Amino acid sequence: MSNNVKSPYAVQVFDLLHRPGEMRERELDITVPEGFGNAVIGVPAGAQLHIDLRMESLHDGILVSAEVDGEAVGECVRCLIEVRIPLEVELQELFAYSQDEAFDYEVQDDTIDLEPVVRDAVVLSLPFQPVCQEDCLGLCPQCGVRLLDNPGHEHEAPVDPRWDALAGLAGEAGESAEDVDGAENNGATEEKR
C-alpha cells in the first residue's frame, strides 16, 4: 500500500474496481492535518470536515460525488476581526484506473485520495475578500478604531500644515484687535470727559 492509506482523505475502493454499475456511499469525518486556504481565510489544521461521499464504478474509473461541510476561519478584510464562514461545497471528479492525461486523478493501490479534490473545491469556494458583515465600515484611517463599534466616531478636521503658521497669526491678530478696540474706546471716553 502507498502513503495514501495514512491520509485521512484516503478511501479504499477495491470492492468497486472494474465493476461498472456498482455504487457505494460513505460518510467521512476528517480532522484536517494541514490547513489550507487563501491569504485571509481558510480551513485551519485541526478543523473538522464532514464529507458525504458517493462512489460509482464506471468503465474508465470511479466517479466520486461529494458534499463537504465545515467551517472556514479568517479575518474581515475591512475591520480585521475574526470571521467564521460555514462551508458547503459540492464536488464531482473521476478517478481513472489508468494514467491518462485526460484525467487529473487516478486510483492508486485500490485507493482514492480525496485530499487534492477536496482542497481545490474548498479553496475555490472561499470568498476572496471575507467581511464580518456586508455593511462593515472598517477601521478609522486616523486612529484605527473599529467603526461598527463606535458609530458616532469623529475627529476634528485636519488642518493643512501649510496653514499652521497663519493659525498662530490669527490668534495674535484677535488679541491685538481687542487691545486696539480697547485703546480706541478708552481714548474716546477720555476726550468726552
Side-chain angles (χ1 to χ4, degrees), residues 30-92:
I30 295 174
T31 300
V32 177
E34 192 175 309
F36 54 89
N38 60 38
V40 289
I41 192 165
V43 178
Q48 295 292 313
L49 288 180
H50 177 77
I51 302 174
D52 283 324
L53 187 63
R54 178 185 172 113
M55 300 171 288
E56 300 173 68
S57 181
L58 304 176
H59 289 288
D60 296 342
I62 296 177
L63 180 65
V64 172
S65 303
E67 292 179 10
V68 181
D69 297 311
E71 184 177 61
V73 181
E75 65 181 27
C76 175
V77 295
R78 295 182 190 158
C79 68
L80 307 179
I81 66 167
E82 182 179 78
V83 175
R84 293 182 173 271
I85 297 176
L87 291 174
E88 293 178 7
V89 180
E90 292 184 8
L91 61 94
Q92 191 170 54

Side-chain angles (χ1 to χ4, degrees), residues 15 37 57 59 64 68 84 86 90-91 93 103 119 122 126 130 132 137 157 166 176 184 187 189:
D15 58 336
S57 181
H59 289 288
V64 172
V68 181
R84 293 182 173 271
E90 292 184 8
L91 61 94
E93 194 66 54
F103 303 108
R119 179 183 299 262
V122 168
L126 294 172
C132 58
L137 300 173
L166 292 177
S176 60
E184 287 175 2
T189 307

Side-chain angles (χ1 to χ4, degrees), residues 162-175:
R162 296 173 290 186
W163 294 102
D164 280 344
L166 292 177
L169 290 175
E172 292 173 14
E175 291 171 10

